[in-house]
Amino acid sequence: MKLLLLASLLASVASFQVAPVAQPTSSTSLSVSSLDPDIGVTAPLGLFDPLGWLDESKDPASKVATFHANFERRRAVERKHGRVAMAAVVGMLFHNAGIEFPGYLSKSENMRFSDVPDGFTGLFSIPTAGLAQIFFFCGVCELAIWPASNYSGDYGCGYGRPFVPNVLEGEELKYKLDMEINQGRAAM
């Protein structure tokens, strides 16, 4: 039994082994577009297109819009969904760790934040007025803060460098955009 436990422990530790990191290559281009099709194409997965929509003959929307417009829209949707999924994962990790807001979620129903159960069942324990507030907040974010017409992905939040002007170029910008797309994919 102890040998089996030791073997499973070693197998799980081996899965967290640090992979060798390729040295970044220098580029002569000074600007990288957030809509560049190469953003998010990294090892080991490479180009991930399971439905084959990069081939115009298989794209169901090819009769509606140009390939470039379709790609811009899909990249913007992927980026936005990834950002929401990353925020949701962080919220779930905090809640499952027992870190909750102090006080009441609903004073009238005598429900504290700590009374909300973990997991998906917690959604059904929130009062209807609270769910309406969440829905309203998501609508405000969608329409005003992160408008669907802004395909650039730059909503004035920066790239994770507080108190530093967020002017990134070249390889550093591509690295940050790759990281955002891939971490969003992992969260989804």
Side-chain angles (χ1 to χ4, degrees), residues 68-110:
H68 186 69
N70 286 337
F71 181 78
E72 280 184 285
R73 176 70 183 147
R74 289 187 181 126
R75 175 54 56 91
V77 167
E78 179 185 21
R79 186 184 308 112
K80 187 182 292 188
H81 289 174
R83 288 175 178 175
V84 170
M86 287 187 282
V89 166
V90 169
M92 183 226 28
L93 291 173
F94 268 73
H95 187 71
N96 288 348
I99 303 169
E100 286 118 2
F101 290 116
Y104 288 91
L105 176 65
S106 174
K107 192 90 165 161
S108 63
E109 295 187 23
N110 198 25

Side-chain angles (χ1 to χ4, degrees), residues 22-92:
Q23 296 296 326
T25 58
S26 61
S27 173
T28 56
S29 71
L30 294 177
S31 65
V32 175
S33 170
S34 62
L35 296 173
D36 184 2
D38 290 337
I39 299 296
V41 179
T42 56
L45 190 57
L47 179 64
F48 183 69
D49 184 25
L51 299 177
W53 286 356
L54 287 178
D55 180 10
E56 290 189 47
S57 64
K58 296 179 184 177
D59 186 358
S62 63
K63 295 174 184 63
V64 179
T66 65
F67 173 77
H68 186 69
N70 286 337
F71 181 78
E72 280 184 285
R73 176 70 183 147
R74 289 187 181 126
R75 175 54 56 91
V77 167
E78 179 185 21
R79 186 184 308 112
K80 187 182 292 188
H81 289 174
R83 288 175 178 175
V84 170
M86 287 187 282
V89 166
V90 169
M92 183 226 28

